[in-house]
């Protein structure tokens, strides 16, 4: 039985999705843990911070999987800029917990850069090998958003690539980015795509918008699902709607755009980005076309996918785009940027359309194209089959297990800048953390 210490520091994967720091990575961790629990060859303890005072300490969530909430400060969602001040405190809480309970592990598996720093502190203390998954990287966000990420994040990510025994990424496209940006050897990287929960996401039309929002059956619904943050590009979508109103008023008059994300009503009202988006919709006089629903339980998202004509992601940056895969599994075509895996997953005019990231005129043109040609797309069953035939969480979990097993067994030739011969280095020779 392989014992894995999985660290997802900044956001609990069992919290409501769509809030400012709970998105695709939270889905990934929850689904991966559940699939790993069915492998029968691995046990997982998932360490995360307390963001709800009602959730503290260990809790068994699946067979052989516990989630352990550790207190490191205010019990609420905090931005990474504030968490960088707290991560050492969390690391010490984790080490104290291990000493108190006597828990030991074979390998550390961390997610997102803050967790990677915590995992490295655990590696320093215990000597267990470290495997990391970035999910997003600062250099790529800076390039696509034309807005610099904090320098400490870039330094941390560079550091993690040098001290981790293995890196897990989600696609060949992401692997190429990591090799280019961090000069990583190919053998150090494991490419394992996320899965899709086919028990939750499958075709079947619903009338959720007629029932919940009193839409007409003649209304044409485009759905957005995700966090309400700048890199998701919602202002770009709203400006494209203005062009639609000006140049295709008949199409515009029947269109409704539904936005799911932003957390609970209280979280939505306190979310600066959400408030700015609502204000922008009002300034552009789109209140009768754009509807903010806040977050919805993950288990109920299928109803919203299947009730829409299509999913639209106006993002500037996507590392994988799990919501697009969920929509496709429901047989719903997508309008997505020409980024990452999307050109490989999308057959234009059949299961979706691709637009040039950040180009409002191209996004407007693709929306028009989509609305005018929607009936010529593949039927829902084929759209779903094309994506689900290769993706499942069981396949993902098995490949993750085998990669972790390879790292743990020292059967690979993985090397880091601090492991020139590929063998585990003595803890006394490991480099210090780049932050206090």
């Amino acid at each position: 039985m392989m014992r894995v210490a999985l660290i997802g520091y900044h956001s609990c994967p069992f919290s409501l999705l769509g809030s400012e720091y709970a998105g695709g990575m939270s889905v990934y961790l929850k689904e991966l843990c559940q699939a790993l629990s069915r492998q029968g060859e691995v046990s997982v303890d998932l360490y995360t911070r307390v963001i709800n005072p009602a959730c503290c300490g260990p809790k068994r969530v699946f067979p052989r999987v516990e989630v352990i909430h550790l207190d490191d400060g205010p019990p609420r969602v905090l931005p990474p800029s504030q968490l960088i001040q707290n991560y050492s405190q969390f690391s010490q809480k984790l080490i104290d917990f291990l000493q108190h309970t006597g828990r030991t592990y074979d390998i550390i598996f961390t997610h997102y850069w803050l967790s990677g720093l915590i995992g490295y502190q655990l590696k320093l203390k215990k000597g267990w090998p470290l495997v990391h998954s970035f999910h997003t990287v600062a250099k790529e966000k800076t390039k696509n958003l034309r807005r610099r990420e904090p320098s400490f994040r870039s330094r941390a990510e560079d550091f993690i690539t040098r001290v981790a025994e293995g890196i897990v990424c989600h696609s060949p496209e992401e692997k190429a980015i990591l090799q280019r940006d961090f000069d990583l050897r190919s053998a150090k990287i494991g490419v394992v795509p996320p899965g899709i929960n086919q028990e939750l996401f499958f075709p079947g039309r619903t009338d959720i918008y007629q029932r919940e929002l009193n839409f007409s059956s003649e209304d044409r619904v485009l759905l957005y699902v995700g966090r309400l943050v700048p890199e998701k590009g919602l202002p770009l979508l709203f400006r494209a709607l203005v062009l639609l109103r000006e140049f295709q008023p008949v199409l515009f008059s029947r269109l409704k755009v539904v936005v799911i994300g932003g957390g609970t009503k209280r979280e939505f009202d306190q979310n600066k980005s959400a408030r700015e988006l609502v204000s922008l919709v009002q300034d552009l006089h789109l209140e009768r076309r754009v509807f903010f629903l806040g977050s919805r339980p993950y288990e109920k998202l299928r109803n919203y996918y299947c009730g829409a004509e299509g999913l639209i992601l106006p993002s500037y940056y996507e590392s994988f785009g799990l919501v697009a895969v969920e929509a496709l599994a429901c047989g719903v075509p997508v309008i997505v940027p020409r980024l990452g895996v999307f050109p490989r997953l999308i057959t234009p005019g059949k299961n979706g359309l691709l637009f040039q990231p950040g180009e409002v005129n191209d996004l407007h043109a693709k929306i028009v194209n989509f609305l005018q040609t929607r009936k010529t797309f593949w039927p829902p069953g084929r759209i779903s089959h094309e994506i689900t035939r290769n993706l499942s969480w069981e396949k993902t979990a098995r490949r993750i297990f085998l990669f972790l097993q390879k790292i743990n067994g020292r059967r690979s030739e993985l090397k880091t800048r601090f492991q020139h011969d590929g063998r585990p280095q003595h803890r006394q020779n490991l480099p210090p953390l780049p932050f206090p």
Side-chain angles (χ1 to χ4, degrees):
M1 180 76 68
M2 180 189 293
R3 297 161 298 176
V4 179
L6 194 155
I7 303 174
Y9 170 51
H10 76 287
S11 176
C12 174
F14 294 88
S15 59
L16 185 65
L17 299 176
S19 57
E20 195 167 2
Y21 300 106
M25 192 184 89
S26 295
V27 172
Y28 178 92
L29 292 179
K30 182 178 180 180
E31 293 285 355
L32 177 63
C33 284
Q34 186 172 21
L36 284 171
S37 76
R38 294 193 287 263
Q39 293 286 310
E41 302 170 87
V42 60
S43 66
V44 178
D45 287 342
L46 191 162
Y47 292 92
T48 189
R49 62 185 301 271
V50 174
I51 60 173
N52 181 341
C55 298
C56 293
K59 179 181 179 182
R60 185 167 297 279
V61 289
F62 306 117
R64 295 176 297 281
V65 176
E66 286 192 3
V67 59
I68 299 158
H69 294 86
L70 299 177
D71 180 13
D72 73 330
R76 63 177 185 272
V77 175
L78 297 173
S81 58
Q82 188 167 346
L83 290 176
I84 192 69
Q85 311 298 324
N86 298 0
Y87 83 92
S88 288
Q89 179 182 346
F90 183 92
S91 300
Q92 190 57 54
K93 289 286 183 71
L94 197 165
I95 291 168
D96 291 346
F97 177 83
L98 297 182
Q99 291 176 338
H100 177 72
T101 60
R103 298 189 188 209
T104 62
Y105 301 99
D106 299 300
I107 199 162
I108 307 162
F109 189 19
T110 57
H111 296 263
Y112 198 61
W113 63 276
L114 284 163
S115 300
L117 296 178
I118 294 166
Y120 182 65
Q121 287 191 311
L122 191 57
K123 170 188 168 82
L124 282 175
K125 184 74 175 178
K126 300 293 186 178
W128 302 323
L130 172 64
V131 172
H132 182 72
S133 182
F134 284 105
H135 295 270
T136 64
V137 292
K139 291 178 182 178
E140 199 66 11
K141 287 186 73 174
T142 296
K143 185 180 89 172
N144 287 280
L145 290 171
R146 299 180 180 88
R147 186 196 70 201
R148 293 194 65 81
E149 287 286 296
S151 61
F152 56 74
R153 175 177 177 178
S154 297
R155 296 200 311 274
E157 289 176 345
D158 184 66
F159 179 82
I160 292 164
T161 64
R162 293 185 280 124
V163 299
E165 279 78 3
I167 302 291
V168 171
C169 67
H170 299 151
S171 68
E173 293 83 1
E174 185 183 359
K175 178 179 179 179
I177 289 170
L178 293 175
Q179 288 181 280
R180 181 197 67 208
D181 289 351
F182 299 105
D183 193 28
L184 281 169
R185 294 178 177 89
S186 177
K188 186 172 182 175
I189 306 173
V191 179
V192 184
I196 182 70
N197 188 331
Q198 297 179 38
E199 294 180 0
L200 283 182
F201 301 108
F202 54 90
R205 190 71 181 165
T206 70
D207 61 353
I208 186 72
Y209 300 109
Q210 288 87 350
R211 290 187 285 107
E212 187 171 328
L213 298 175
N214 202 30
F215 285 1
S216 163
S217 60
E218 300 299 315
D219 288 329
R220 308 189 67 179
V221 179
L222 289 180
L223 174 67
Y224 168 86
V225 177
R227 296 180 298 129
L228 308 186
V229 291
E231 59 261 36
K232 296 301 182 180
L234 282 169
L236 185 77
L237 171 58
F238 300 155
R239 291 197 295 273
L241 294 181
V242 171
L243 294 178
L244 188 70
R245 179 174 59 196
E246 181 177 355
F247 295 107
Q248 290 84 23
V250 175
L251 289 177
F252 178 81
S253 68
R254 294 181 57 194
L255 181 64
K256 301 288 177 66
V257 173
V258 174
V259 177
I260 291 181
T264 63
K265 185 179 186 308
R266 179 181 179 184
E267 290 171 336
F268 189 98
D269 293 341
Q270 294 176 346
N271 184 324
K272 180 182 176 183
S273 294
R275 295 197 305 270
E276 290 175 349
L277 290 171
V278 171
S279 295
L280 179 60
V281 166
Q282 294 170 346
D283 292 343
L284 297 176
H285 306 293
L286 294 171
E287 301 98 317
R288 297 178 63 185
R289 292 288 166 260
V290 178
F291 300 81
F292 293 93
L293 300 191
S295 292
R296 290 294 186 266
Y298 185 64
E299 294 75 15
K300 295 184 178 181
L301 283 181
R302 176 188 171 272
N303 290 330
Y304 296 92
Y305 288 132
C306 290
E309 282 202 38
L311 177 84
I312 188 162
L313 289 182
S315 311
Y316 291 95
Y317 174 50
E318 289 285 349
S319 61
F320 190 82
L322 199 53
V323 295
V325 173
E326 292 167 355
L328 292 169
C330 291
V332 177
V334 300
I335 304 173
V336 291
R338 194 179 297 277
L339 286 171
V341 302
F342 291 145
R344 187 159 45 85
L345 298 181
I346 301 305
T347 302
K350 300 303 179 184
N351 63 350
L353 292 171
L354 298 163
F355 72 92
Q356 196 61 29
E359 296 292 336
V360 65
N361 290 324
D362 194 35
L363 178 56
H364 163 240
K366 294 307 189 297
I367 292 173
V368 173
N369 187 345
F370 183 90
L371 294 174
Q372 290 177 338
T373 65
R374 174 66 179 87
K375 291 182 179 179
T376 67
F377 281 54
W378 285 334
R382 181 170 179 185
I383 291 176
S384 178
H385 175 71
E386 290 294 325
I387 196 72
T388 58
R389 63 179 178 173
N390 294 319
L391 296 177
S392 74
W393 284 111
E394 284 67 30
K395 292 178 182 177
T396 299
R398 187 63 187 170
R399 291 174 66 177
I400 289 289
F401 170 76
L402 292 174
F403 186 75
L404 297 180
Q405 187 180 58
K406 182 174 77 169
I407 300 298
N408 185 54
R410 301 296 196 271
R411 289 192 292 270
S412 70
E413 296 179 359
L414 304 183
K415 299 179 182 180
T416 72
R417 207 173 301 175
F418 302 106
Q419 293 171 286
H420 301 294
D421 59 2
R423 293 178 299 176
Q425 224 175 11
H426 194 278
R427 275 176 274 166
Q428 291 179 348
N429 298 327
L430 289 168
L433 278 162
F435 308 106

